[in-house]
Amino acid sequence: MNNDKTLHSEINKVITLLKAKKSIIAFTGAGISTESGIPDFRGPQGVWKKYRPIELSEVLQDPESRALYWQRKIDMYPQMKNAVPNKGHLALFELYKKNFLQYVITQNIDGLHQRAGMPDDRVIELHGSNTYIACLDCRKRYEWEDILPLFEKQSTSPKCDECGGWLKPATISFGQAILEYETNEAERIASAADAIIVIGSSLQVYPAAGIPVTTKMNGGSVVIINMEPTGQDEIADCLLHGPAGDILQAIAEGVDERAILKKKREF
Ligand SMILES: [Zn+2]
């Protein structure tokens, strides 16, 4: 962790850098949501250290695995439903309102950027979302509130009323293909950005770790905010090791709203 004086001067450096940039994006990982009580699934205390992950093929083929999969999701539902955005999410929305942020690309599935105010079309969810349910075949969207009561009425997992496909929370499961549209959008946006702020990601797992590299290779600047060192610290123009919420709040307070840039629409 930086000491206070270093952190303060690094925050000022970020503010100066952002003021000189037009197309700014953020890339967020689990570290931004831990302050909202969302566990880091892959961390040392993560869910996957306690539970064996269930592969998509098991969800599709084995009724027992399917039931277990849904039971875990239902158990985690109240925590997800009640989670509220923290000052990190709110500061990013503040930057968006002040025209210092155009997009958020996220590895998180908690929907907290949108709950903080970010419009849906400004958030690219690389791993999908736990906040709604989708048909695995036709992608029709269902809401939790409509699906949960079905589990009390019937003993089997619900199916799509449109095509008969299996329903599942709209996240990427183990063994499930990446979301092509989201992945391509993230790549496009990261290439076009002239600055990326990475928050709460260890940047150790590809393809996610490649996103700031894409911005850097296209001439953009990289800001990294994380409690611990990351896999990409050496490419950072500004590196801040500390609590994401406080740091982002200080950055958002350090800039004044600016006029909407023409480029924002083209981005
Ligand atoms: Zn369907």
Side-chain angles (χ1 to χ4, degrees), residues 2-242:
N2 298 129
N3 65 41
D4 283 354
K5 194 157 164 275
T6 328
L7 199 54
H8 189 252
S9 84
E10 205 67 5
I11 287 169
N12 286 334
K13 211 172 116 188
V14 175
I15 292 168
T16 306
L17 183 141
L18 296 184
K19 283 179 178 169
K21 302 292 183 181
K22 293 187 172 71
S23 314
I24 304 166
I25 63 172
F27 175 61
T28 64
I32 197 170
S33 289
T34 45
E35 289 173 43
S36 292
I38 306 276
D40 180 352
F41 289 96
R42 290 166 199 272
Q45 307 298 321
V47 171
W48 306 132
K49 295 285 187 287
K50 273 188 277 177
Y51 298 119
R52 180 184 69 85
I54 301 172
E55 297 273 336
L56 179 68
S57 57
E58 298 173 90
V59 176
L60 291 173
Q61 289 154 18
D62 174 28
E64 250 173 63
S65 298
R66 190 157 53 238
L68 180 63
Y69 170 88
W70 268 106
Q71 195 50 56
R72 287 182 190 173
K73 287 286 186 178
I74 291 167
D75 290 348
M76 288 190 273
Y77 174 69
Q79 185 186 41
M80 180 203 70
K81 185 170 172 261
N82 298 326
V84 289
N86 62 57
K87 51 189 170 184
H89 299 104
L90 297 170
L92 283 182
F93 179 53
E94 197 64 26
L95 285 172
Y96 170 76
K97 283 194 294 184
K98 291 178 168 177
N99 292 311
F100 278 88
L101 182 72
Q102 278 94 327
Y103 286 100
V104 177
I105 302 168
T106 188
Q107 295 175 281
N108 300 338
I109 55 174
D110 52 38
L112 290 178
H113 289 298
Q114 292 92 323
R115 262 182 221 176
M118 288 297 294
D120 268 334
D121 65 354
R122 293 282 153 180
V123 182
I124 314 295
E125 296 173 309
L126 284 178
H127 298 168
S129 178
N130 228 348
T131 60
Y132 65 97
I133 288 153
C135 170
L136 277 166
D137 291 337
C138 74
R139 303 305 299 164
K140 182 179 174 184
R141 176 177 170 144
Y142 294 82
E143 302 308 320
W144 272 97
E145 292 71 25
D146 299 324
I147 295 302
L148 276 178
L150 297 179
F151 281 92
E152 280 156 32
K153 282 196 220 134
Q154 60 194 42
S155 54
T156 55
S157 310
K159 283 189 158 185
C160 178
D161 56 16
E162 205 75 45
C163 77
W166 289 112
L167 302 187
K168 192 178 86 55
T171 56
I172 300 297
S173 290
F174 287 88
Q176 189 169 353
I178 56 161
L179 295 171
E180 206 169 325
Y181 172 79
E182 281 78 0
T183 306
N184 292 341
E185 271 297 273
E187 188 65 20
R188 182 184 72 77
I189 291 162
S191 312
D194 52 19
I196 184 167
I197 312 169
V198 181
I199 307 129
S201 172
S202 60
L203 295 176
Q204 275 159 2
V205 183
Y206 281 83
I211 289 171
V213 177
T214 300
T215 301
K216 187 79 178 183
M217 279 169 48
N218 284 278
S221 300
V222 175
V223 175
I224 295 179
I225 303 169
N226 201 48
M227 287 300 279
E228 311 290 333
T230 77
Q232 302 290 354
D233 281 3
E234 73 274 8
I235 67 160
D237 296 273
C238 299
L239 185 60
L240 302 92
H241 288 152

